Amino acid sequence: MLAQADIARIVSRMAHQILEKTSGGGNVVLLGIPTRGVPLATRLATRIHEVEGVTVPTGSLDPTMYRDDLRLRAVRPLRVTDIPDGGVDGRVVILVDDVLYSGRTVRAALDALAEYGRPRAVQLAVLVDRGHRELPIRADYVGKNMPTSRRESVAVRFGETDGADAVLIVGGGAAGDAAGEAAAGDAR
Amino acid sequence: MNRHLLSTADLLREDALLVLDTAEQMARLSDRSVKKLPTLRGRTVVNLFFEDSTRTRTSFELAAKRLSADVINFSAKGSSVSKGESLKDTALTLEAMGADAVVCRHPASGAPQRLAGWVRGSVLNAGDGTHEHPTQALLDAFTIRRRLGRLEGLAVTIVGDVLHSRVARSNVWLLRTLGAKVTLVAPPTLLPNAVADWPVDVSYNLDAVLPGSDVVMMLRVQRERMSAAFFPTEREYSRRYGLDADRAATLPPHALVMHPGPMVRGMEIASDVADSPRSTIVEQVANGVSVRMACLYLLLGGADEPEEREVIR
């Protein structure tokens, strides 16, 4: 669906939108949601630095232990949580994830974030919004709205984690939710 | 992961590493102001202790509470057990109360294994007789990896009462799985007969082994398990197998001194060695909570049975 050059342009636009909406990004902290929210957060920070010269603290936030669906499938491995020095108190925290789908990951991330302090505001940036929300959550910065069927999975690949940049839609048709979810791992 | 944690002998390398990696994330929580996680809310963990143990029971209790599980402490003294109830009936009682996990310490080797056949929940062995104490070995491995960065290829020396030590057994199997080389040092009377079949080297000379050790683990001389005279006098034991300052000075500069506790200062370890910067004894206690949190999370954090798992969107 998206190739390397498309993703670079989208990240660049999102970086500009963040700078615009946060009046220069001075008080911003970017927290990527593992796995692929982390490289996306790093890329946004890099682009923001190139455009405006500000260095935005960047880290990661693993919401696994706050999920509401832990008992519905096999135990999930934990990912790294790394809150930048300076913390989140009074800052504008932008949660960064690759795909926004049901909204349950973001809800868990909001709970996890609350344990680390009280941000002045929390915003959400996603590369792909594929719809089908199950909670009243929306993103402040969307790279690409991608209408999908629930039977499909959206797979985001980054050079840092997967060797090359791409956004793919996989599954659909006879594959069904079950096989798609089980096989795709990080795809949503 | 298996449904139970009964021994390190049957723990796969990938599962052992998963416990250590999970514990690493749990350990980061102790740095933040709110240490509690909602992860095991609504789950019940029973501490079933047929032997006195303050440190292990407290560590498991704190680990379960940090994960928001409900904890019930069930000790043999002053309970139905002292009135003659069998292990099986105790297990069925706990089962009826809806225990999701039973943390069991028992003076008989194999008791947790039996328990695992009777209850629906997960059983965690917190020390059984002279058999195993898997979470102690996992926290020791975690402590070594945090301090030295790896386990593969390290020379680990375990000194003292190996015969009665479940900690030594669990460590031998786990360290083998994780690629460390283990040497046991003890008087011949305090080594089990089967030691020839273990994946270890054996030495009776501590001074010869120390200069090549990356880690030296001191074991407590378990007076309460000593039914016969295993060595002539405590003073002689301490002279030959105790770690004093002069001996510790022959260790390589990076080497660690470990002890599972409770230690007898002046017997197997000298006070100034126990309090030296290379000693990890206090860290081991702190790491114990993180490792037990990891074990509880990995055993209780997912769906109960694979077939009960629903596919979620």
Side-chain angles (χ1 to χ4, degrees):
Chain A
M1 297 298 294
L2 297 175
Q4 182 138 13
D6 304 320
I7 292 172
R9 276 191 290 272
I10 288 171
V11 169
S12 185
R13 190 193 77 232
M14 290 173 74
H16 280 97
Q17 286 174 332
I18 289 170
L19 284 167
E20 189 182 353
K21 194 162 174 178
T22 60
S23 311
N27 198 28
V28 168
V29 174
L30 290 169
L31 291 181
I33 297 175
T35 307
R36 287 174 188 71
V38 179
L40 181 58
T42 308
R43 288 179 184 203
L44 286 169
T46 306
R47 196 74 191 96
I48 286 170
H49 184 77
E50 286 166 6
V51 173
E52 203 86 346
V54 290
T55 302
V56 178
T58 306
S60 63
L61 181 69
D62 176 33
T64 304
M65 286 195 282
Y66 295 83
R67 297 191 69 96
D68 60 7
D69 53 11
L70 286 171
R71 304 264 316 253
L72 297 181
R73 54 154 99 169
V75 68
R76 294 162 182 257
L78 302 185
R79 308 290 180 195
V80 175
T81 292
D82 179 24
I83 305 295
D85 298 340
V88 297
D89 282 323
R91 314 292 293 258
V92 175
V93 173
I94 302 180
L95 297 174
V96 182
D97 204 358
D98 55 350
V99 180
L100 179 58
Y101 184 20
S102 66
R104 290 180 190 268
T105 303
V106 175
R107 187 211 58 80
L110 287 169
D111 281 357
L113 181 60
E115 309 279 25
Y116 289 92
R118 186 178 183 281
R120 190 172 69 70
V122 183
Q123 298 175 351
L124 175 63
V126 296
L127 187 64
V128 174
D129 182 348
R130 61 167 294 192
H132 305 292
R133 213 77 74 242
E134 295 167 7
L135 294 168
I137 281 170
R138 60 162 183 79
D140 300 86
Y141 313 97
V142 179
K144 175 110 178 140
N145 282 297
M146 218 175 260
T148 55
S149 136
R150 284 183 187 273
R151 292 177 172 281
E152 295 164 329
S153 294
V154 177
V156 172
R157 310 225 165 117
F158 282 129
E160 296 89 326
T161 48
D162 314 283
D165 288 6
V167 175
L168 312 168
I169 292 184
V170 289
D177 280 356
E181 275 299 324
D186 257 55
R188 277 167 289 170
Chain B
M1 283 287 284
N2 297 328
R3 196 157 61 90
H4 308 290
L5 180 62
L6 300 174
S7 76
T8 58
D10 56 7
L11 201 59
L12 298 174
R13 181 182 161 84
E14 60 188 72
D15 286 340
L17 290 173
L18 180 63
V19 172
L20 301 189
D21 291 343
T22 305
E24 193 67 51
Q25 300 309 320
M26 297 294 184
R28 286 163 169 257
L29 292 169
S30 46
D31 301 337
R32 67 182 209 193
S33 55
V34 184
K35 294 181 172 58
K36 199 139 175 135
L37 289 158
T39 315
L40 296 185
R41 215 165 31 191
R43 299 281 204 154
T44 304
V45 176
V46 176
N47 282 329
L48 181 61
F49 278 62
F50 293 92
E51 259 183 12
D52 292 332
S53 158
T54 311
R55 125 186 356 240
T56 305
R57 188 187 55 73
T58 313
S59 181
F60 266 110
E61 182 171 354
L62 188 56
K65 284 183 169 169
R66 290 241 170 112
L67 292 169
S68 300
D70 294 320
V71 182
I72 297 167
N73 287 312
F74 195 98
S75 64
K77 276 183 193 146
S79 75
S80 50
V81 173
S82 58
K83 297 171 188 162
E85 190 178 61
S86 71
L87 178 63
K88 182 165 189 180
D89 287 327
T90 305
L92 295 177
T93 306
L94 300 175
E95 174 86 10
M97 289 177 184
D100 296 296
V102 179
V103 178
C104 179
R105 166 164 293 194
H106 202 283
S109 302
Q113 179 92 45
R114 294 288 282 155
L115 197 60
W118 293 324
V119 298
R120 235 179 322 115
S122 295
V123 175
L124 290 90
N125 181 2
D128 59 334
T130 58
H131 174 225
E132 283 232 30
H133 189 358
T135 56
Q136 178 70 43
L138 286 162
L139 79 88
D140 289 342
F142 181 71
T143 304
I144 296 170
R145 198 178 73 162
R146 276 206 131 185
R147 276 275 195 123
L148 300 180
R150 70 194 165 97
L151 288 149
E152 193 85 48
L154 291 182
V156 179
T157 302
I158 302 177
V159 187
D161 182 4
V162 176
L163 180 64
H164 298 100
S165 177
R166 52 201 176 204
V167 174
R169 282 172 182 73
S170 286
N171 263 306
V172 163
W173 304 121
L174 183 65
L175 288 168
R176 188 249 339 232
T177 303
L178 295 174
K181 184 178 149 298
V182 179
T183 304
L184 301 178
V185 180
T189 49
L190 287 176
L191 285 170
N193 290 330
V195 78
D197 301 330
W198 292 8
V200 296
D201 292 335
V202 173
S203 169
Y204 307 117
N205 184 350
L206 184 56
D207 292 313
V209 175
L210 287 179
S213 300
D214 299 301
V215 175
V216 54
M217 241 177 237
M218 305 305 297
L219 301 172
R220 183 172 63 93
V221 176
Q222 304 193 31
R223 284 200 196 87
E224 72 275 20
R225 292 188 210 278
M226 299 267 176
S227 49
F230 290 97
F231 45 81
T233 67
E234 293 191 356
R235 187 153 169 267
E236 183 177 327
Y237 178 87
S238 184
R239 288 263 314 253
R240 293 200 56 175
Y241 297 101
L243 190 63
D244 58 19
D246 290 342
R247 281 213 170 96
T250 67
L251 284 163
H254 66 272
L256 306 181
V257 173
M258 307 182 74
H259 194 300
M263 60 180 160
V264 186
R265 287 174 187 257
M267 177 75 176
E268 70 267 8
I269 189 166
S271 241
D272 40 1
V273 176
D275 299 330
S276 70
R278 61 164 92 235
S279 155
T280 62
I281 297 168
V282 179
E283 267 164 72
Q284 283 169 270
V285 177
N287 290 341
V289 177
S290 303
V291 166
R292 289 175 179 121
M293 285 173 77
C295 293
L296 287 170
Y297 171 69
L298 292 171
L299 292 177
L300 298 184
D304 287 336
E305 299 287 339
E307 54 271 23
E308 281 178 26
R309 284 174 204 154
E310 293 171 36
V311 174
I312 49 138
R313 286 188 293 270

